[in-house]
């Protein structure tokens, strides 16, 4: 279900005929151009989708005799259609408005071309209908890499994010992150509207990052490319020092690279996260420093073995 007011605002639509409810029963990001149904072929009619009317459909309906047009429109609106959108700023046919009002189906219009509207509509529905969760953490854009910082409360997530903002990076969300799966392998995070651009710093209170550091210090949403978990340093734990093995965490069915960063006094966590972001980008481009060093060590060991055999 999608709120009608959000749907209209996001796509810049004009209401030509109001619907019977404040929500639209749209469950898929697919759309339908109802050319074949309006010509009388009703098999496999995808009535569950938003129906987009372009110049072809409108000119065809305008060419029909009145009795045929009324018969087709009565059949068309007898299905549980979520909504109809008329493109190119074309005027809706009176018969269409009459049938829509009788069935409580909303009709909207837009001045955009059909192709442009379809692309925007699919993109909006993909985001609005994407599976989502809310997670505790901080999301920040570091060198174009979306880093989700997780960890126990008070471990220093917000302070690290604040230092990164001071160094020119952009805050997405502090404390609470709304995460959506927009495709099979891509997650996008954003801040809840109520706390957007705000950050809590213990001992100082609530600060507005956009006001304090400028609008360039914040960004509305960002893909989640890397998860970094903060943990207080434990002396009895052997932490990874080489990075030969890649670790992942799963969010909404998507595997995201994950690093565990132990926290102890004296560590410059902002610099560590900058290095992690750069290293992540290098790995994406096929360069792994740990594996490069491992290859050198193996080559040197092999050379030493060959030298001992010759001796």
């Amino acid at each position: 279900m999608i709120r009608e007011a959000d749907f209209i605002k996001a796509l810049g639509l004009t209401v030509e005929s109001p619907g019977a409810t404040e929500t639209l029963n749209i469950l898929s990001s697919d759309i339908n151009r109802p050319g074949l149904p309006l010509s009388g072929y009703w098999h496999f009619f995808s009535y569950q989708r938003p129906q987009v009317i372009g110049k072809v459909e409108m000119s065809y309906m305008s060419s029909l005799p009145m009795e045929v047009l009324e018969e087709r429109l009565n059949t068309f609106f007898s299905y549980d259609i979520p909504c109809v959108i008329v493109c190119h700023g074309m005027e809706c046919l009176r018969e269409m408005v009459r049938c829509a009002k009788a069935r409580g189906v909303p009709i909207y219009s837009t001045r955009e071309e059909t192709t442009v509207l379809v692309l925007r509509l699919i993109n909006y529905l993909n985001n609005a209908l994407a599976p989502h969760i809310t997670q505790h953490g901080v999301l920040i854009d570091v060198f174009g890499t979306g880093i989700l910082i997780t960890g126990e409360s008070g471990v220093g997530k917000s302070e690290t994010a604040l230092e990164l903002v001071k160094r020119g990076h952009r805050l997405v969300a502090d404390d609470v992150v709304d995460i959506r799966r927009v495709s099979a392998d891509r997650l996008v995070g954003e801040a809840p509207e109520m706390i957007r651009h705000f950050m809590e710093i213990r001992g100082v209170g609530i600060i507005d990052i956009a006001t304090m550091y400028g609008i360039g210090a914040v960004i509305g949403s960002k893909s989640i490319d890397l998860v970094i978990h903060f943990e207080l340093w434990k002396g009895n734990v052997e932490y990874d020092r080489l990075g030969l093995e890649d670790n992942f965490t799963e969010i909404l069915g998507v595997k995201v690279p994950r690093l565990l960063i132990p926290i102890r006094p004296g560590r410059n966590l902002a610099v560590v996260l900058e290095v992690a972001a750069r290293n992540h980008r290098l790995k994406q481009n096929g360069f792994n420093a740990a594996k490069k060093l491992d290859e050198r060590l193996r080559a040197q060991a092999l050379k030493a073995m060959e030298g001992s055999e010759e001796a």
Side-chain angles (χ1 to χ4, degrees):
M1 292 288 189
I2 293 179
R3 290 183 65 245
E4 183 184 37
D6 296 338
F7 187 76
I8 293 171
K9 181 179 179 181
L11 297 170
L13 303 175
T14 301
V15 179
E16 299 293 338
S17 178
T21 64
E22 295 181 355
T23 59
L24 301 176
N25 187 28
I26 302 175
L27 304 177
S28 168
S29 60
D30 296 321
I31 62 96
N32 188 56
R33 298 283 300 274
L36 278 176
L38 291 172
S39 69
Y41 186 81
W42 302 101
H43 297 290
F44 308 110
F45 175 31
S46 300
Y47 63 87
Q48 308 95 331
R49 306 173 182 178
Q51 307 295 311
V52 177
I53 304 292
K55 286 184 177 179
V56 173
E57 293 85 0
M58 187 63 76
S59 61
Y60 174 74
M61 287 190 290
S62 300
S63 69
L64 292 174
M66 184 58 64
E67 61 275 11
V68 177
L69 175 63
E70 291 180 350
E71 182 268 328
R72 299 275 171 82
L73 288 176
N74 284 329
T75 305
F76 180 74
F77 283 102
S78 68
Y79 291 86
D80 292 327
I81 296 170
C83 66
V84 176
I85 304 176
V86 179
C87 301
H88 294 280
M90 294 182 293
E91 185 177 352
C92 293
L93 300 176
R94 288 179 296 176
E95 293 76 12
M96 183 186 297
V97 174
R98 178 184 58 79
C99 292
K101 287 183 177 179
R103 291 284 297 173
V105 177
I107 297 180
Y108 311 114
S109 65
T110 176
R111 293 190 176 278
E112 289 187 334
E113 296 181 358
T114 310
T115 304
V116 175
L117 185 276
V118 167
L119 291 174
R120 290 188 59 210
L121 180 56
I122 292 174
N123 183 60
Y124 168 77
L125 292 177
N126 273 330
N127 285 282
L129 299 174
H132 67 279
I133 61 171
T134 299
Q135 183 165 328
H136 176 66
V138 177
L139 181 57
I140 191 161
D141 177 12
V142 181
F143 297 131
T145 298
I147 297 180
L148 176 64
I149 309 172
T150 62
E152 295 182 3
S153 182
V155 77
K157 300 184 297 295
S158 296
E159 289 80 1
T160 302
L162 181 60
E163 178 63 25
L164 287 166
V165 168
K166 288 176 60 181
R167 297 170 71 92
H169 306 291
R170 298 183 293 178
L171 176 72
V172 182
D174 177 64
D175 194 48
V176 178
V177 184
D178 286 338
I179 302 174
R180 292 174 288 110
R181 190 187 72 202
V182 297
S183 68
D185 59 353
R186 185 168 183 263
L187 301 171
V188 171
E190 62 183 10
E193 187 173 355
M194 183 64 68
I195 61 172
R196 191 164 297 159
H197 304 165
F198 289 103
M199 178 180 285
E200 177 193 353
I201 303 296
R202 283 176 172 79
V204 177
I206 303 297
I207 61 174
D208 187 332
I209 295 298
T211 301
M212 185 172 292
Y213 292 97
I215 197 63
V218 296
I219 183 174
S221 63
K222 184 72 179 106
S223 61
I224 298 176
D225 307 304
L226 179 64
V227 174
I228 294 183
H229 185 76
F230 283 177
E231 172 182 290
L232 294 177
W233 192 293
K234 299 176 183 177
N236 60 342
V237 176
E238 186 68 27
Y239 293 105
D240 186 11
R241 301 179 64 178
L242 298 178
L244 285 172
E245 295 184 2
D246 293 328
N247 296 308
F248 296 88
T249 186
E250 191 169 295
I251 303 174
L252 291 173
V254 179
K255 292 176 65 176
V256 184
R258 180 182 185 270
L259 298 177
L260 174 61
I261 304 295
I263 307 299
R264 70 186 310 177
R267 300 200 77 186
N268 190 329
L269 295 175
V271 172
V272 172
L273 263 65
E274 285 184 333
V275 170
R278 290 181 183 273
N279 196 46
H280 176 72
R281 296 292 292 273
L282 286 173
K283 286 183 177 180
Q284 287 183 318
N285 291 327
F287 179 83
N288 189 317
K291 290 183 179 179
K292 189 75 172 178
L293 177 59
D294 184 58
E295 290 172 2
R296 288 183 181 179
L297 292 173
R298 288 177 183 273
Q300 185 176 1
L302 181 61
K303 186 177 181 180
M305 289 177 59
E306 291 174 349
S308 63
E309 289 176 356
E310 291 176 359

